[in-house]
Amino acid sequence: MSDVPAKPVTGDLSMVFMRSVMGRRSRRMAAIVALLASAASAQAATLSLAPVWGDHGVIQRDAPVVISGSAAPGAPVRAILGDAEAQARADKSGHFTLTFPARSASEVPVDLAVEAGGEKLVRHDLLVGDVWLCSGQSNMEFPVARALNGGLEAAISSDPQLRLLTVPQAISFAPQDAFSRPVAWQAAARESVTGFSAACYFMLRDLRKALKVPMGAIHSSWGGSQIRPWLSSEAGLALYGSAEMASIKRFESDPLGAVTAFSPRWEAWYRGATGGGQPWLQPDTLSWQPVPSIQGWLAWEGTPLAAKPLGTVWLRRQVTLSRTQAAAGAVLALGVLDDMDVTYVNGRVVGNSFGWDYQREYRLPPAYLHEGVNEIMVAVTNTYGNGGFASSADKLALRIAGGETMPLGDGWRFSISTAGANPPRTPWDANAGIGVMHNRMIAPLGSFALKGAVWYQGESDVDTPGYADRLKALIAGWRRQFGAKLAVEIVQLANYGPVHTAPGASTWAALRDDQRRVAAGDPQATLVSAIDIGERTDIHPANKPLLGKRLALAARGIAMPMPIAARREAGGVRIRFSGVEGGLQAWSASGPIGFELCDAAGQCRYAAAHTDGDSVILAEDGKPVALVRYAWADSPVVNLFDARQIPVPGFALPVAP
């Protein structure tokens, strides 16, 4: 781990390598000992390894072992992994890459020693097996402790051959070599498993039982995140262009300038959503009520927000300044606002931020202020749970340059907007910015070899079109980093939300179909559906053990049910499926439910259906048919499974003549 001080290597540590090569010729053993003892003491530490290379880690079997790190520019680097040796030289920037031959799976631990410029690092107890990356948003972050029977599962989880690593949550506007703080591999046990990703743990646990080789699980996820923050820089550039990427760099050095440049986009959205309103310029065009308390909206009893805290709400505060105060400039502190805000002072934008734990502090140049009454207007948009003020009143203040502080913990008014809760997000947004999580939570893994990656995300993207393109770009970025043969598993979103009693539009179903189409078009990707194990009133279903079981099957190359094609035939439409074992079965009914026939204009109706081996046949109803859909709802009720009790995923397919 690059952020952990290197252990000084003394004569005693030479025994590590003596044991590794016991039985080899004494001349080679002497060379290894000489490598370890070549310097009496280390200078200022410049030698580091990619942070994933820590004690108790797992190395991917049957793949070249590539170790990246940093040393003094131009320094020769020598290393020993078990009984293998490798050499490299640091480039002008100090980066180096060591490559060892591929190794077979082994439960016998080996040590890694790296030496450069008189410094040495040793990593102990490394196993060789399969390593998986698990990433996404809250359903991937969801811990074992909250999963079905989580306490019992954690209590019986002890397995020294299953190793876990959790990446700390942090963002960066440019790719980094290190995580935000040191990380450590841990063997599976109650203490390490309880807070670990449930989907990831149960998958790797089942793989470990089936394959009987060491397993490494790297968990890197963030609840509520969109897919954009997980894109690599190359993917971001390809999808969004150089201007968007340049705005991220500008925000680093000139936040006010970047926010100002982005504001026309937000303002155009607001005007379109409200029929032309511009309250940041004309506050009195809105109706205002006193803010009941500096708390989240759920606590505002007697207001509509106490029952429905979702959407956009304007907060207004007036501040009277003297000529001297205005001429000094100030910092506006608003505490934490849940979820996101766009803040104006006297009609000029000063901030645009997202974050449930981010303290807003916006610089106000003197030109933005004036003598007399100054208007503060804050548009707060909330998309889930409680919203609005998430700090105590004492966090709200106007700090005049030079030391004077004006409290802003009272005197606020509010007005509920009709704009909705899906504004455009800035390229640097902490939750939806381009690449900001990849840069700090994936990039530091370097070229560490992986067996595959699991992606469980999409809930935060259901109202943003183009998910398939973003998902393909994410996968392409991972393969550039980890290798072109990286296997990828995509979890199709679980059922959640209102039930449908008639066919209709569903952004959840559309995103599920995006996930399906990406997996169907990628021979190294697999769709694993969770469409039957969700909870209609809880976006975080607890049955992660069953999901993990399905993920483990897919990781072993066992096919999942997938629709292939729909074609008209006498009496109806036949839909063929692949990946079915034991034929298709309809549970608790004479046939599968949730199928729809749609005409070319997109008008759909439910269809009677029955199974026929690996096919489903929809009955002809005499009306035009151009498309078939299945489970096309936010929270569909499904009853179509194969003999392994694996569900058919939600989908839409054109009907061939």
Side-chain angles (χ1 to χ4, degrees):
M1 296 174 291
S2 61
D3 294 329
V4 177
K7 296 180 181 179
V9 177
T10 66
D12 292 337
L13 287 177
S14 299
M15 296 303 297
V16 171
F17 301 95
M18 291 182 181
R19 289 193 298 269
S20 300
V21 297
M22 193 64 68
R24 300 266 181 170
R25 292 176 299 175
S26 60
R27 185 172 63 182
R28 178 164 182 169
M29 185 180 295
I32 295 171
V33 174
L35 167 62
L36 293 172
S38 61
S41 61
Q43 303 294 319
T46 58
L47 177 62
S48 64
L49 303 180
V52 71
W53 287 99
D55 293 344
H56 318 301
V58 180
I59 299 169
Q60 178 58 44
R61 60 174 167 163
D62 304 328
V65 182
V66 180
I67 302 170
S68 58
S70 297
V77 184
R78 301 174 65 193
I80 299 171
L81 177 63
D83 58 0
E85 297 184 43
Q87 298 184 21
R89 184 176 294 274
D91 63 19
K92 294 179 180 179
S93 63
H95 292 96
F96 66 82
T97 299
L98 295 158
T99 302
F100 290 92
R103 306 175 73 90
S104 300
S106 175
E107 297 183 355
V108 178
V110 296
D111 292 335
L112 167 70
V114 181
E115 186 273 344
E119 297 179 76
K120 302 177 185 65
L121 296 176
V122 180
R123 299 293 182 254
H124 300 286
D125 186 34
L126 306 178
L127 306 179
V128 183
D130 287 340
V131 185
W132 285 82
L133 170 66
C134 301
S135 189
Q137 60 178 106
S138 55
N139 268 307
M140 183 59 83
E141 186 178 355
F142 190 89
V144 171
R146 294 175 56 195
L148 195 64
N149 299 321
L152 175 61
E153 296 283 11
I156 61 174
S157 64
S158 179
D159 183 353
Q161 303 295 314
L162 172 54
R163 308 287 177 83
L164 314 175
L165 184 147
T166 297
V167 174
Q169 294 176 341
I171 66 170
S172 174
F173 299 124
Q176 302 296 309
D177 294 329
F179 299 125
S180 61
R181 61 178 184 271
V183 296
W185 288 91
Q186 296 178 290
R190 183 200 297 266
E191 296 76 12
S192 58
V193 166
T194 297
F196 196 75
S197 163
C200 193
Y201 166 72
F202 289 121
M203 171 191 170
L204 271 290
R205 180 198 65 179
D206 286 6
L207 278 176
R208 173 94 178 97
K209 291 178 181 178
L211 301 180
K212 295 179 172 52
V213 301
M215 290 285 161
I218 301 174
H219 169 224
S220 180
S221 66
W222 201 325
S225 59
Q226 292 189 5
I227 193 172
R228 278 208 321 176
W230 298 101
L231 299 177
S232 66
S233 299
E234 296 86 351
L237 180 63
L239 282 179
Y240 300 106
S242 57
E244 291 286 86
M245 303 306 289
S247 72
I248 300 174
K249 292 184 178 180
R250 181 178 183 183
F251 182 78
E252 286 190 87
S253 59
D254 180 17
L256 184 57
V259 168
T260 301
F262 182 83
S263 63
R265 201 182 310 181
W266 187 93
E267 292 164 3
W269 164 81
Y270 189 88
R271 284 191 293 266
T274 61
Q278 298 185 114
W280 57 93
L281 295 175
Q282 300 167 313
D284 290 331
T285 59
L286 301 180
S287 298
W288 298 95
Q289 303 175 59
V291 165
S293 59
I294 303 300
Q295 299 182 79
W297 298 336
L298 288 173
W300 290 8
E301 295 183 6
T303 75
L305 293 169
K308 188 179 180 181
L310 306 182
T312 297
V313 175
W314 283 98
L315 303 172
R316 181 184 186 184
R317 178 68 152 83
Q318 294 177 321
V319 181
T320 301
L321 299 177
S322 68
R323 180 180 300 178
T324 301
Q325 290 171 326
V331 171
L332 176 61
L334 297 172
V336 175
L337 297 170
D338 187 354
D339 296 340
M340 64 193 92
D341 73 285
V342 177
T343 297
Y344 292 83
V345 173
N346 295 323
R348 304 178 74 168
V349 69
V350 298
N352 185 324
S353 301
F354 178 98
W356 305 288
D357 57 359
Y358 174 62
Q359 299 282 341
R360 272 67 164 179
E361 291 195 356
Y362 299 136
R363 182 176 65 88
L364 310 182
Y368 283 44
L369 304 171
H370 57 246
E371 181 181 8
V373 176
N374 292 256
E375 289 278 3
I376 301 171
M377 293 282 291
V378 185
V380 179
T381 299
N382 181 46
T383 60
Y384 182 77
N386 205 355
F389 292 113
S391 296
S392 55
D394 62 315
K395 299 294 185 181
L396 282 66
L398 186 68
R399 297 199 295 268
I400 307 298
E404 183 180 359
T405 297
M406 303 178 68
L408 299 180
D410 58 8
W412 288 88
R413 291 176 283 173
F414 76 97
S415 180
I416 301 174
S417 173
T418 59
N422 193 32
R425 309 286 284 272
T426 66
W428 58 84
D429 184 292
N431 179 258
I434 304 169
V436 295
M437 294 176 185
H438 169 90
N439 292 338
R440 198 59 157 161
M441 299 177 65
I442 300 294
L445 292 171
S447 53
F448 189 76
L450 300 173
K451 178 68 173 180
V454 181
W455 179 246
Y456 192 171
Q457 189 275 341
E459 299 92 337
S460 289
D461 281 75
V462 293
D463 294 319
T464 306
Y467 188 79
D469 290 338
R470 298 192 294 278
L471 182 54
K472 286 187 284 188
L474 174 89
I475 295 171
W478 281 356
R479 289 185 176 144
R480 278 192 296 269
Q481 180 172 350
F482 301 115
K485 296 182 179 180
L486 183 77
V488 176
E489 297 189 34
I490 303 164
V491 179
Q492 189 183 52
L493 293 185
N495 49 305
Y496 165 74
V499 296
H500 289 200
T501 58
S506 169
T507 54
W508 281 71
L511 190 138
R512 290 189 192 105
D513 199 47
D514 281 347
Q515 294 174 319
R516 178 197 65 82
R517 288 187 294 109
V518 170
D522 186 332
Q524 294 168 274
T526 305
L527 184 76
V528 177
S529 186
I531 200 167
D532 63 316
I533 57 177
E535 299 174 23
R536 182 171 59 83
T537 59
D538 190 343
I539 201 170
H540 302 121
N543 198 353
K544 296 299 192 288
L546 180 54
L547 176 61
K549 178 181 179 180
R550 293 174 183 172
L551 290 169
L553 289 173
R556 291 166 54 197
I558 298 173
M560 301 285 108
M562 287 284 281
I564 301 173
R567 183 177 295 276
R568 295 186 70 97
E569 62 176 36
V573 175
R574 178 179 290 272
I575 308 169
R576 295 187 299 111
F577 294 85
S578 65
V580 173
E581 287 194 14
L584 292 170
Q585 306 172 348
W587 292 2
S588 302
S590 59
I593 61 174
F595 279 93
E596 302 173 18
L597 294 169
C598 307
D599 62 24
Q603 297 299 308
C604 303
R605 65 270 185 195
Y606 289 128
H610 68 271
T611 60
D612 181 25
D614 293 354
S615 295
V616 169
I617 299 175
L618 308 185
E620 177 70 66
D621 64 0
K623 299 178 181 178
V625 178
L627 183 80
V628 295
R629 302 195 309 198
Y630 174 64
W632 202 267
D634 294 5
S635 188
V637 176
V638 298
N639 74 333
L640 184 60
F641 298 79
D642 73 359
R644 300 168 297 175
Q645 302 184 6
I646 298 177
V648 167
F651 64 88
L653 285 178
V655 176

